[in-house]
Amino acid sequence: MAKVPDLFEDLKDCYSENEEYSSNNDTLSLIQKSFYDANYGPLQEVCMDKFMSLSTSETSKIAKPAFKESVAVVSATGKILKKRRLSLNQPITDEDLEAIANDPEEEIIESKSAFSTFQNKVKYGFTKTIKSQCILNDILAQSLIRDPTGPYLKAAALNNLDNAVKFDIGAYKPADGFNIPVTLRISKTRLFVSAQDEGEPLLLKEMPETPKVITDETNLLFLWENHGIMHYFRSMAHPELFIATKNEERVHLARGQPSTIDFKIWDN
């Protein structure tokens, strides 16, 4: 005779299974609760210009990256300060990161000023004197004269150009297109015009002779630019600055207005 299924037995089995499932859920809940209830301190403030470890004693250690092309040190503004290239299979440790940050011989990422540094190391060779005893007049009709109070030049309106300073202009190579690196020497002297910082007066620097090669003394060099009848003398040491004048003031370096950087050249 066929046996009638015991529905209560089946319900009992289902209840037993659900109880085991519930028990497993309780265990998982306890694990999750213990994880979220763990006492972690507040996150520390991010420190730029330093490498930081993200490991903590309450959690398992995070595996170190093993496939990095490069690592870098960045500033607070996000500018890359140092950079090291790594092989693809080289693991990175905390000690490696600290060494990169503190190693003075690490590769430094230079700014655009590196171009100026490279330019300053170019050797400029003297070729010839291309103008002798010429006079520089600005667009306000001021000539350049010696400052009686020191080794400087001043701008002054003169009735007699015989009192104006006369210059010998010496050319150097390599040239920059149609613009020629030149020195300005007061005629019949050993005094050369030498650039200083922006707004500071040009110095008259005494040299034993006309430099045959200029490498480091780029303060003596000016890029002579010509636009129509106007002439401009751009400092090779400070490429954004030009020889400039103001009314009855010392000759200096400036970017432009309110100073005057436009000159006419009169041959004596």
Side-chain angles (χ1 to χ4, degrees):
M1 181 176 179
K3 183 179 179 180
V4 178
D6 189 346
L7 298 178
F8 291 99
E9 187 69 26
D10 290 341
L11 288 174
K12 180 181 178 182
D13 291 341
C14 291
Y15 176 81
S16 177
E17 290 175 1
N18 287 338
E19 185 180 37
E20 182 181 354
Y21 176 76
S22 174
S23 175
N24 289 339
N25 276 348
D26 291 342
T27 303
L28 180 60
S29 297
L30 287 174
I31 293 173
Q32 290 176 334
K33 185 175 187 303
S34 65
F35 174 81
Y36 288 112
D37 289 346
N39 184 21
Y40 292 100
L43 290 177
Q44 293 182 355
E45 211 174 83
V46 175
C47 298
M48 289 297 184
D49 301 337
K50 294 182 180 179
F51 291 104
M52 297 185 66
S53 172
L54 297 178
S55 61
T56 178
S57 59
E58 286 83 359
T59 60
S60 60
K61 290 187 178 179
I62 299 173
K64 300 295 181 184
F67 298 96
K68 287 288 185 180
E69 182 183 15
S70 64
V71 292
V73 182
V74 297
S75 69
T77 58
K79 179 181 178 182
I80 297 177
L81 301 177
K82 292 186 179 181
K83 189 174 183 181
R84 174 185 281 183
R85 299 204 174 275
L86 303 171
S87 64
L88 290 177
N89 293 321
Q90 180 181 353
I92 308 169
T93 65
D94 288 338
E95 290 76 13
D96 291 333
L97 297 177
E98 191 67 27
I100 293 171
N102 296 326
D103 188 352
E105 295 185 0
E106 275 299 318
E107 176 189 359
I108 305 299
I109 308 301
E110 300 288 351
S111 63
K112 293 181 180 180
S113 62
F115 174 76
S116 298
T117 302
F118 171 78
Q119 186 184 43
N120 288 346
K121 294 302 179 183
V122 175
K123 292 184 178 180
Y124 296 94
F126 177 74
T127 56
K128 62 180 180 179
T129 299
I130 51 180
K131 280 193 176 292
S132 297
Q133 299 193 40
C134 62
I135 297 172
L136 300 182
N137 275 14
D138 64 19
I139 57 174
L140 300 177
Q142 295 183 119
S143 302
L144 305 188
I145 62 172
R146 295 277 298 271
D147 185 342
T149 64
Y152 311 111
L153 294 169
K154 287 185 66 175
L158 300 176
N159 294 323
N160 185 356
L161 290 181
D162 290 339
N163 296 325
V165 169
K166 280 80 174 178
F167 293 96
D168 292 345
I169 301 180
Y172 284 75
K173 63 179 182 181
D176 179 12
F178 294 103
N179 303 321
I180 307 170
V182 298
T183 55
L184 298 172
R185 178 174 63 88
I186 295 181
S187 302
K188 299 179 181 180
T189 74
R190 297 178 180 177
L191 297 175
F192 287 79
V193 175
S194 178
Q196 296 199 89
D197 293 332
E198 183 174 6
E200 296 185 11
L202 298 179
L203 284 176
L204 295 178
K205 185 173 183 178
E206 187 168 6
M207 304 289 290
E209 61 181 5
T210 297
K212 297 298 185 285
V213 176
I214 295 178
T215 303
D216 297 320
E217 291 279 355
T218 51
N219 286 345
L220 299 175
L221 285 172
F222 298 89
L223 202 59
W224 183 6
E225 303 176 7
N226 175 253
H227 300 282
I229 62 171
M230 306 309 299
H231 301 267
Y232 305 84
F233 295 92
R234 181 192 298 269
S235 170
M236 295 288 285
H238 307 283
E240 71 281 6
L241 303 177
F242 297 82
I243 292 179
T245 61
K246 281 186 178 179
N247 187 32
E248 301 289 334
E249 293 187 19
R250 288 175 175 171
V251 182
H252 54 280
L253 289 183
R255 302 171 188 268
Q257 295 296 330
S259 298
T260 298
I261 62 173
D262 316 79
F263 291 92
K264 292 181 179 179
I265 297 179
W266 301 98
D267 293 320
N268 189 20

